[in-house]
Every structure is written in structure tokens, then in C-alpha cells.
Amino acid sequence: MRYLQLRKAVPLFAVTLLAWMTGCARPRPPDAGKAVVVFVDRSQSTQADRELYAQACERILSLIQPGDRIIAGWITDRSVDDFRSHVDEELPPRLPPKTITDIELQYKKRQDAWERDVQARREDVRHKLHELLSWESTASRTKIIESLRVAGQILGSERRPRKLLILLSDMIEESDLANFTHARLDDTFIRKEISRQQKAGILPDLHGVRVFVAGADAATLERAAAIERFWKQYFEATGAVMDPGGYSRALPKFE
């Protein structure tokens, strides 16, 4: 009787062990990662903030992790056209953890190759971001809203669940849609402008996107406060999320 029970138990144990080993050997899916879109204001009014933008780019680089994608472009008077020259890079996802079926030496070689690849791509992104900052521009107007539509289109098709939009700008819109240099930015203006864009179908879709601003500025404190009020209500209307302190003259904590 014991012999029969043992004969039945051995195949079951073997199947269980095989399933366990197969499960251990199966590569785990890579981390979902995040998508980060960065827009750099290249208008003449932001010339004094180039060092601030460089510091922001270094902080953004430290934010990018394996599996992440970073897209960066300019805000100018021709934002859509200028975005054809931009940064779009991905860091390779993390290697699956070593399993009992991996050969130590081979896994170590894969790990070393992966680390070299990540480092090389980081340096490539750093180089391209600095090229972006050094690009000479004669732009005298700033189409931020137009840039936000581009960001919405990019992030709307992005498979990664976490999405960040970082704007390095004084946030002074100067376009045919709105001119913050002269407009009276009271609640009536803000409400009407958001409603107009919604009806025209041009309000950016940024649902679930976390937005950060560095470099916000204006000629007076009153004007700066009015511009900040506009953008906070505008981003809320687009479905974006802005953390407390996410809109700043200095560098906010991006994540």
C-alpha cells in the first residue's frame, strides 16, 4: 500500500518541482517605467535662465531610470515646426533577476553589458540635452499652449503608466491664442479662454500627467501671480495633476 502511494506521489512531486523551476526561469516583465516630456523655452525673455535650465536637466537625468523614456524639445514662436529636432531616448529595462537555471558567469556578462549600455545611453541623453540648451534662437514669441498640445499627443499614445511633463519656461504665453504680456488675466479671462479652447477642440489632453514648471517669472509679482493662477486652472482643465510646489521660479522636486 505504501509502495502504491509512493508511486503516485513521485510523479506529482516531479511535476510540482518542474513547474516551480520553470516559473523561476521565466523572465519577469521589466519595470513599467515612466515617460518624461521636457520642454525648454527658447524665447529671448528666458536668456537669463539658461543656467537654471542646465541645473534642471541634470536633475531630470538623475530622475530617469532603466525602462524610462525621455522626450525633449523647444518652446519657441514655431513650437510645432521646431519640435522636429528633439530628443527621444529610452533606457533599457532592468534585467530579470538571476534564477537557479542561470549560469553565473554568463549572467554576470549580461549584467555588465547591460550596465555599460545604460551608462552610454545616459551620457547620450546628457549630450543631447546640452545641445538642446545651447541651440541659438531668435524667437521673440512663446507658444506654450501649442507645445502642450504636442505633449498631449505624445503622452496620450505612451504605454507607460507614469507620465511627467516638465516645462522650463517663464510661462509667459505670447501667441495668437493669448498674450500674457498685455492680457488682463482675471478669472473671467481664464474661464473664457479655457471654454473657447474646449469648444474649438484645441485644449490639450493631459489626463493623468503630472506637470512641473521651473523658471516661472514675470515683470511684477502681481503679474507673476496672475500667470500662475491661469496655468493652474488651465492644467486642471486639461486633466493634468500639479503637486503643491510644482509651479516654481526655482527648481521643484520633480518626483
Side-chain angles (χ1 to χ4, degrees):
M1 186 68 176
R2 283 186 176 180
Y3 174 73
L4 292 176
Q5 290 176 341
L6 184 61
R7 286 189 62 185
K8 292 180 180 179
V10 168
L12 179 61
F13 172 76
V15 170
T16 303
L17 179 62
L18 179 61
W20 178 78
M21 292 181 65
T22 305
C24 289
R26 187 183 301 118
R28 297 182 184 179
D31 295 338
K34 58 184 173 293
V36 182
V37 173
V38 182
F39 274 103
V40 180
D41 192 336
R42 297 298 300 171
S43 60
Q44 294 297 310
S45 62
T46 64
Q47 287 290 336
D49 287 337
R50 294 295 180 259
E51 181 58 33
L52 176 69
Y53 294 171
Q55 293 174 23
C57 285
E58 286 301 315
R59 187 172 292 186
I60 292 166
L61 279 169
S62 67
L63 177 75
I64 303 302
Q65 299 298 319
D68 292 350
R69 178 189 181 194
I70 179 169
I71 308 101
W74 298 294
I75 301 172
T76 67
D77 54 354
R78 299 171 62 248
S79 289
V80 171
D81 290 336
D82 285 336
F83 195 76
R84 287 176 297 187
S85 300
H86 65 285
V87 178
D88 189 350
E89 297 289 341
E90 294 185 39
L91 293 189
R94 298 184 188 278
L95 287 180
K98 186 167 71 70
T99 70
I100 60 174
T101 61
D102 285 314
I103 298 173
E104 180 71 30
L105 183 59
Q106 291 180 353
Y107 186 84
K108 182 66 167 57
K109 287 182 178 179
R110 292 202 305 272
Q111 182 75 24
D112 291 344
W114 176 84
E115 290 176 358
R116 289 193 298 270
D117 189 18
V118 170
Q119 184 59 31
R121 294 199 197 190
R122 278 189 184 279
E123 289 305 314
D124 188 46
V125 171
R126 174 178 279 107
H127 175 71
K128 289 180 178 179
L129 284 176
H130 282 291
E131 279 190 337
L132 197 73
L133 291 175
S134 64
W135 181 70
E136 293 296 327
S137 170
T138 58
S140 58
R141 305 178 75 197
T142 311
K143 295 184 177 180
I144 301 171
I145 294 172
E146 189 174 280
S147 298
L148 294 178
R149 280 186 53 78
V150 175
Q153 292 165 354
I154 294 170
L155 293 172
S157 61
E158 178 55 55
R159 61 180 173 78
R160 293 167 177 82
R162 289 185 293 157
K163 303 173 184 180
L164 277 63
L165 171 60
I166 300 173
L167 302 169
L168 307 180
S169 171
D170 57 14
M171 300 307 290
I172 301 175
E173 172 83 10
E174 292 180 287
S175 67
D176 296 335
L177 292 174
N179 191 320
F180 290 178
T181 303
H182 305 295
R184 183 179 177 181
L185 300 176
D186 54 17
D187 289 337
T188 300
F189 172 86
I190 297 171
R191 187 170 57 254
K192 285 184 177 179
E193 181 57 28
I194 291 174
S195 176
R196 185 187 71 79
Q197 291 188 29
Q198 287 172 330
K199 291 177 180 177
I202 61 174
L203 187 75
D205 183 359
L206 298 173
H207 280 84
V209 177
R210 293 179 64 199
V211 178
F212 300 88
V213 172
D217 199 13
T220 65
L221 287 176
E222 291 78 11
R223 175 60 59 167
I227 293 173
E228 179 178 355
R229 186 167 59 250
F230 173 90
W231 285 117
K232 285 186 174 179
Q233 292 185 40
Y234 188 87
F235 286 130
E236 183 179 1
T238 66
V241 177
M242 179 170 281
D243 298 336
Y247 185 102
S248 176
R249 170 65 187 148
L251 295 180
K253 186 177 180 181
F254 294 132
E255 190 177 42

